[in-house]
Amino acid sequence: MVTAAIPISRYRSLANLLVAIALSLVIIASDDNSTLQRTRGLILDASAYLYLPLQWVETLFTIQKDHRELQQRHIQAQIDLNKYKTLVSENRRLRNMLGFKGEKSFLLIPANVLSDVGSHTMNSFTVDQGSNDGVELLAGVVDAQAQLVGKVVAISPNTSLIQLVNDKNFRVSVREMRSRNVGILSYSLKKGYMIQDVPKNAEVIAGDSVVTSGFSDIFPEHIFVGWVSDISPVVEDYVKSVQVDLGTDFNRLEEVFILKTK
Amino acid sequence: MIDILKYSLLGLLVLIFQWMLGDVFSIFGVTPSFLVIFIILVGLTRSQVMAIWLGFILGFIIDALTSTSLLGITALALSVVGYLAGIFQDRIVRIPIPVQYLLHTGFLLVFFILTVMISLQNSQWSAGDIVFLVLMPKTLYTLGVLSAIFVLLRVGAE
C-alpha cells in the first residue's frame, strides 16, 4: 500500500508543477493583458500601504532639514530662472524668425518614492502616484534637479512602478553637449554606462555634459543624464565609445517628478 | 490546512522582508534571494506541492512588485525550485553534508539561471560577464546565507 502511494504522490507533484509552469508561461506570454495588469496594479496598491507608516516617520525626521535646503535652492533657482527667462524669450523669438516648430511642453506630477528595489540585474521603485493622478504608462521620470531617473513601466490607480536608468535593460537616446553627437546610452558590466559608436573625430572630453536627445516620445530633450567620464581609445576603427557617470544619486531619491505631455 | 496558512503567512513575511530590506544585505550590488531559501526550506521539510504553489504565488507577487522585464519568470523559477527541493523531502538528513551543499547549489543555480539569464537576454552583456559577475556571485552569496539559516534552524531545533 505504501509502495503504491509513493509514485502516485510523485505524479501528483509533477502534475502540480506542470500546471504551475503552464500558468507561469501564460503570464509571461500575456504581459500586456489588461486583467494581468489590473492584478499587478492591485498588488502595487496594496504594497504602498506597507510603506506609509515608514514614510510618515521618515518625513518627521527630515522635514526641517529638507525645508532649509529647499529654501536655499529656491533662492538660487529664482536667480537662475530670471536669467533663463530672458534667454528663453530670446530663443523663442529667434526660433519663430527661423520658422522652427514649437517644442513639446510637459506637466510635472510630483511623487514620493515608496520602495526601492535594487539588484544586480534590475532596478525599480514604486511611487505613490498612479493613473488616478494622471500618470501614463512609459512616462518619463526626473528628480528635483531635473536629472533623468527612469520611466513608468507599470501603473495602478494609486501607485506606479518606475524602471530606473540603472536598470540593465534601460536604453535612452542621448546627446553629448560639446560635439552634439547623438547615441544610445546603455549599461555594460565591465565599463558601466556607455554611449557606443560615437564618430572617431567627434570632439568629446571628460567632464562634458550628456542630456536626452528628445528623439523618443518618452523623454523631452535637454534632461540632464550625466557627465562624460572616459573615452575609449580608438584603434583602427571609425567609432569610439564614451563612458558616462550618471548624475542622479539613486540612493538618496525620496521624491521624483513624472512627466506628462500637455 | 493550518500548516498551509502558517507557511503562506511566513512566505508573505519573507517576501516583504526581501522587498523592503533586501538591499540592506547588498554587497557590491549583489543581493541574496531570501525567497528562494524559503521555498527550498518548505520543499525539503514540508510538502512538495506546497513548495510549488507557494513558489508560484510568491514569485508572481515579487514579479508584480519589482519586475521591469518579464512578469512571471520568478513564479516559474520558484515553482521549479520548490519541485526539485521537494524530491529530497525528509531524505535530505540522510544525505552526506557535502552532497547536501551540492544539492542546495544546484537548486540556487536553477533559480538564478532562469531569472538572471532570461532577464538579461536583451542587455547586450556577454554570457561570460553574466555568469561570472552576476550568476555566480548571487548563487554563492545566497548559498552562504542559506547555510547560515539552516545551521541556525538546526541549532534552534536541537
Side-chain angles (χ1 to χ4, degrees), chain A residues 13 16 40 118 169 171 187, chain B residues 23 48 53 64 67 119 122 125:
Chain A
S13 300
N16 275 281
R40 189 178 197 182
N169 290 314
R171 303 272 182 287
Y187 184 80
Chain B
D23 275 358
Q48 193 176 26
W53 288 110
S67 172
S119 76
N122 297 322
W125 292 5

Side-chain angles (χ1 to χ4, degrees), chain A residues 12-14 16-17 19-21 23-24 27-28 31 36 40 43-44 47 50-51 54 115-122 124 126 161 163 167-169 171 186-190, chain B residues 16 19-20 23 28-31 48-49 52-53 56 60-61 63-73 75-76 79-80 83 91 116 119-120 122-125 129 133-134:
Chain A
R12 200 186 63 173
S13 300
L14 194 62
N16 275 281
L17 175 71
V19 174
I21 289 176
L23 280 174
S24 304
I27 292 170
I28 291 169
D31 204 13
L36 203 60
R40 189 178 197 182
I43 295 171
L44 280 170
S47 70
L50 287 171
Y51 265 93
L54 283 179
S115 71
D116 70 304
V117 181
S119 73
H120 220 121
T121 54
M122 283 185 283
S124 58
T126 318
L161 185 72
Q163 180 186 26
D167 185 285
K168 308 311 176 273
N169 290 314
R171 303 272 182 287
S186 60
Y187 184 80
S188 103
L189 260 180
K190 284 178 181 161
Chain B
I16 291 167
W19 182 57
M20 291 174 87
D23 275 358
F28 298 116
V30 180
T31 315
Q48 193 176 26
V49 175
I52 292 169
W53 288 110
F56 175 79
F60 176 70
I61 296 174
D63 271 344
L65 289 173
T66 65
S67 172
T68 56
S69 47
L70 276 176
L71 190 67
I73 192 68
L76 174 76
S79 312
V80 173
Y83 175 79
R91 273 186 283 171
V116 172
S119 76
L120 289 177
N122 297 322
S123 69
Q124 297 176 339
W125 292 5
D129 281 356
L133 299 175
V134 183

Side-chain angles (χ1 to χ4, degrees), chain A residues 213-232:
Chain A
S213 68
F215 286 169
S216 76
D217 290 334
I218 300 174
F219 303 106
E221 58 182 337
H222 302 313
I223 292 180
F224 185 75
V225 177
W227 301 271
V228 172
S229 60
D230 201 9
I231 298 114
S232 67

Side-chain angles (χ1 to χ4, degrees), chain A residues 46-111:
Chain A
S47 70
Y49 288 106
L50 287 171
Y51 265 93
L52 286 178
L54 283 179
Q55 205 188 5
W56 186 76
V57 173
E58 203 177 277
T59 311
L60 280 181
F61 285 105
T62 58
I63 200 157
Q64 204 175 6
K65 188 172 150 266
D66 284 355
H67 178 68
R68 217 173 296 137
E69 263 182 34
L70 280 174
Q71 255 183 337
Q72 286 172 357
R73 285 212 324 245
H74 177 72
I75 294 164
Q76 186 57 50
Q78 203 59 50
I79 296 166
D80 291 342
L81 187 67
N82 292 338
K83 222 184 314 176
Y84 293 140
K85 268 182 183 168
T86 320
L87 291 170
V88 166
S89 65
E90 185 184 77
N91 182 266
R92 204 169 287 152
R93 207 173 55 245
L94 291 171
R95 285 176 74 93
N96 280 340
M97 283 164 71
L98 291 168
F100 279 113
K101 277 186 178 176
E103 291 173 341
K104 274 185 195 169
S105 55
F106 286 83
L107 287 174
L108 294 173
I109 303 170

Side-chain angles (χ1 to χ4, degrees), chain A residues 184-256:
Chain A
I184 302 291
L185 181 83
S186 60
Y187 184 80
S188 103
L189 260 180
K190 284 178 181 161
K191 295 177 180 170
Y193 300 92
M194 304 288 292
I195 310 172
Q196 306 281 357
D197 302 337
V198 175
K200 186 172 84 171
N201 56 358
E203 194 194 334
V204 183
I205 58 169
D208 285 352
S209 299
V210 176
V211 298
T212 52
S213 68
F215 286 169
S216 76
D217 290 334
I218 300 174
F219 303 106
E221 58 182 337
H222 302 313
I223 292 180
F224 185 75
V225 177
W227 301 271
V228 172
S229 60
D230 201 9
I231 298 114
S232 67
V234 184
V235 185
E236 293 177 9
D237 206 350
Y238 298 104
V239 290
K240 57 187 172 185
S241 301
V242 173
Q243 203 170 326
V244 176
D245 280 346
L246 292 187
T248 313
D249 183 356
F250 294 100
N251 293 325
R252 295 180 56 185
L253 276 181
E254 287 172 26
E255 56 279 314
V256 292

